[in-house]
Amino acid sequence: MLGAIVFFVLCVATVAGMRARFRLPDHHLNLESKDVIRLATAVVGTLSALALGLLIASAKSTFDTADTEMRSSVARVLLLDRVMAHYGPETEEARQSLRTLVERRLERGWSVATTDQASGKFPGDYRDIEAVQDRLRELKPQTDAQRLLQGRALEISGEVAEAHWLLVETDSEGLPWAFLTILVFWLSLLFGTFGLQAPPNLTVFSILLICALSVAGAVFLIVDMANPYIGLIHISGDPLRAALLRLGQP
């Protein structure tokens, strides 16, 4: 959606620049004036390129970090299930709760649920992992091996819970909208000056249209990768689906 808005704004800025070309006096667009416009445009263009590069790098970093955290969480869930399996049949309910956690995560499509305004709590995964931890604490180990396994299971379940809250905090950060707004203003100024200096023919307008589409595509990528669990470019749920097949095995 934001990419389409940016494309529209840039197209409007280009057309406005082309229309202004016919209304300005000739001395406003003489050689000296165009030289100054080009110098000013170069400064704004450099700033825009740097801003776009920083935003793309930041979004890519967010995407890669989320992908790594998801895979690490899947590994912890599988390890937790195996530790509980080695403990004995007493952990059957806890293992079932763990499976429910994974199933709900897949059903929710990786999006973080919104806050319940009435209770001020986050519904979903934190309750499932706390149910697993409660059942683990209720265990009464009979041997030293079971006590070690219980402690290890509680440690891993704590890491899974920590990963969930990291997801919540990361999702709540959002995009730097002020930065994006300034960037769109810079880009609009650039395309407006392009239209102001460009001869009004189909070839020039087509090139500027393609450039506007390219810039809007870059903004789309930034927004999409900054939300790695939803959108067109999102983290695959295949590792979690594969883990679901392994959960509960003896």
Side-chain angles (χ1 to χ4, degrees), residues 32-170:
E32 291 80 6
S33 298
K34 286 185 176 181
D35 287 340
V36 173
I37 292 173
R38 290 191 184 100
L39 289 173
T41 301
V43 174
V44 178
T46 302
L47 290 173
S48 301
L50 288 173
L52 268 175
L54 287 172
L55 286 173
I56 291 174
S58 176
K60 183 63 166 61
S61 177
T62 299
F63 186 90
D64 291 340
T65 300
D67 184 58
T68 301
E69 289 175 352
M70 185 273 289
R71 295 181 184 276
S72 298
S73 296
V74 170
R76 292 189 189 104
V77 167
L78 286 172
L79 179 59
L80 177 58
D81 182 70
R82 297 315 306 158
V83 170
M84 290 191 292
H86 284 291
Y87 184 95
E90 300 91 336
T91 60
E92 189 62 34
E93 289 187 7
R95 296 181 73 189
Q96 183 57 44
S97 297
L98 186 64
R99 184 180 181 86
T100 301
L101 184 153
V102 175
E103 290 173 345
R104 289 186 178 178
R105 170 54 64 187
L106 283 171
E107 289 174 0
R108 286 172 54 191
W110 295 103
S111 60
V112 176
T114 56
T115 306
D116 185 347
Q117 298 296 334
S119 63
K121 296 180 179 179
F122 285 90
D125 294 347
Y126 87 97
R127 293 177 180 174
D128 295 326
I129 192 60
E130 285 185 357
V132 174
Q133 291 175 311
D134 290 340
R135 288 184 173 89
L136 288 172
R137 295 187 188 97
E138 292 170 359
L139 294 174
K140 296 180 174 55
Q142 303 298 320
T143 64
D144 290 339
Q146 285 186 332
R147 276 189 285 273
L148 289 173
L149 289 170
Q150 182 190 33
R152 179 59 175 154
L154 285 170
E155 178 185 354
I156 299 171
S157 64
E159 292 174 352
V160 173
E162 180 182 1
H164 166 68
W165 287 113
L166 282 173
L167 169 62
V168 172
E169 291 300 320
T170 301

Side-chain angles (χ1 to χ4, degrees), residues 169-177 226-227:
E169 291 300 320
T170 301
D171 187 81
S172 63
E173 289 177 0
L175 286 167
W177 292 107
N227 296 278

Side-chain angles (χ1 to χ4, degrees), residues 5 67 75 101 116 119 176 183 196 205 234 238 242:
I5 294 174
D67 184 58
L101 184 153
D116 185 347
S119 63
L183 175 61
L196 184 64
F205 186 77
H234 63 274
D238 290 342

Side-chain angles (χ1 to χ4, degrees), residues 9-24 188 191-193 195-196 205:
V9 170
L10 296 184
C11 288
V12 170
T14 302
V15 172
M18 288 182 170
R19 290 176 64 88
R21 177 187 177 91
F22 297 103
R23 298 190 177 186
L24 290 175
S188 301
F191 277 79
T193 56
L196 184 64
F205 186 77

